[in-house]
Amino acid sequence: METLRDTLENPTTQSVGVGAYEALTSAHGGLYAGFQHLCDPARVVYAMGTVEDDANLMVTTPTLVNGLLGLPISQICCGGQHAAILTAFGEVYTWGRGGFGRLGHGDTQSLSDPKFVSALEGIKCCQVACGFAYTAVVTTEGALYTWGAGENGRLGLGDVEDRHVPSHVEDLSLTPIQQVISPPLLPPLLPPPPPPPPL
């Protein structure tokens, strides 16, 4: 019997439908148990949709994202037209629509495959958030980096300019950031909780 791993490693495989997935994994106790047995789920990412406006290019079934195979994934985040992942090593990869520089690769090109955000090389990130046209990360040191559409000052950089690469939000340098949440327009920040009162 063909296994899921055999199917995924076949260079002609473009996607695996739910029916095929069930058939390939039923010998191992069903979908979840089979998936756990055959793959490390923290190292496999599937995507659907498209970064193009052409409905003919739409991917309507979960399709393996080959560019992320083998990477230990800590977080996946989706914006309106792009996505980002954070690896267990603190690296950030982005793909999707590149308008406004939201992917952080120094340009506005769209990408159908994930690409490492090289401007963050050597900076260990612990969280990523995607808004509609921007991206933000928090580092293990509590620093905040933002990039993409700067309209309405949403990047927190003191202006309304778009940024095509991650930019450090220096006005928050003295406040370690714990988490950033990215709604469609403005990213609210959560500073660390206050220290407990003295006993």
Side-chain angles (χ1 to χ4, degrees):
M1 176 177 162
E2 183 180 30
T3 66
L4 178 60
R5 184 174 302 244
D6 294 334
T7 301
L8 295 178
E9 290 177 349
N10 182 336
T12 63
T13 299
Q14 295 296 313
S15 64
V16 178
V18 173
Y21 187 79
E22 176 66 48
L24 290 169
T25 60
S26 62
H28 298 286
L31 290 174
Y32 182 75
F35 190 69
Q36 290 285 52
H37 177 77
L38 299 170
C39 309
D40 177 355
R43 295 176 189 260
V44 179
V45 176
Y46 290 88
M48 294 182 288
T50 182
V51 298
E52 306 298 331
D53 288 329
D54 185 348
N56 295 322
L57 299 176
M58 181 71 65
V59 177
T60 57
T61 59
T63 302
L64 185 69
V65 180
N66 289 312
L68 299 175
L69 279 177
L71 289 175
I73 308 298
S74 293
Q75 182 191 357
I76 300 174
C77 184
C78 298
Q81 298 177 324
H82 72 299
I85 66 104
L86 175 69
T87 71
F89 307 119
E91 301 168 329
V92 176
Y93 289 74
T94 60
W95 72 102
R97 282 268 171 102
F100 307 102
R102 75 186 94 198
L103 300 181
H105 301 296
D107 55 33
T108 59
Q109 291 186 337
S110 296
L111 296 173
S112 57
D113 295 310
K115 182 178 178 182
F116 172 64
V117 180
S118 60
L120 292 171
E121 188 162 7
I123 299 171
K124 188 172 183 180
C125 300
C126 59
Q127 194 228 338
V128 62
C130 297
F132 181 74
Y134 67 94
T135 309
V137 297
V138 176
T139 71
T140 55
E141 302 294 320
L144 175 68
Y145 287 80
T146 60
W147 62 94
E151 182 182 27
N152 299 318
R154 75 180 81 174
L155 299 179
L157 299 169
D159 58 39
V160 295
E161 301 299 316
D162 296 347
R163 298 298 198 287
H164 297 177
V165 294
S167 299
H168 181 218
V169 181
E170 294 182 13
D171 285 350
L172 295 174
S173 292
L174 300 178
T175 305
I177 301 301
Q178 187 177 31
Q179 183 179 15
V180 61
I181 302 168
S182 295
L185 297 176
L186 302 172
L189 306 170
L190 296 178
L199 297 174

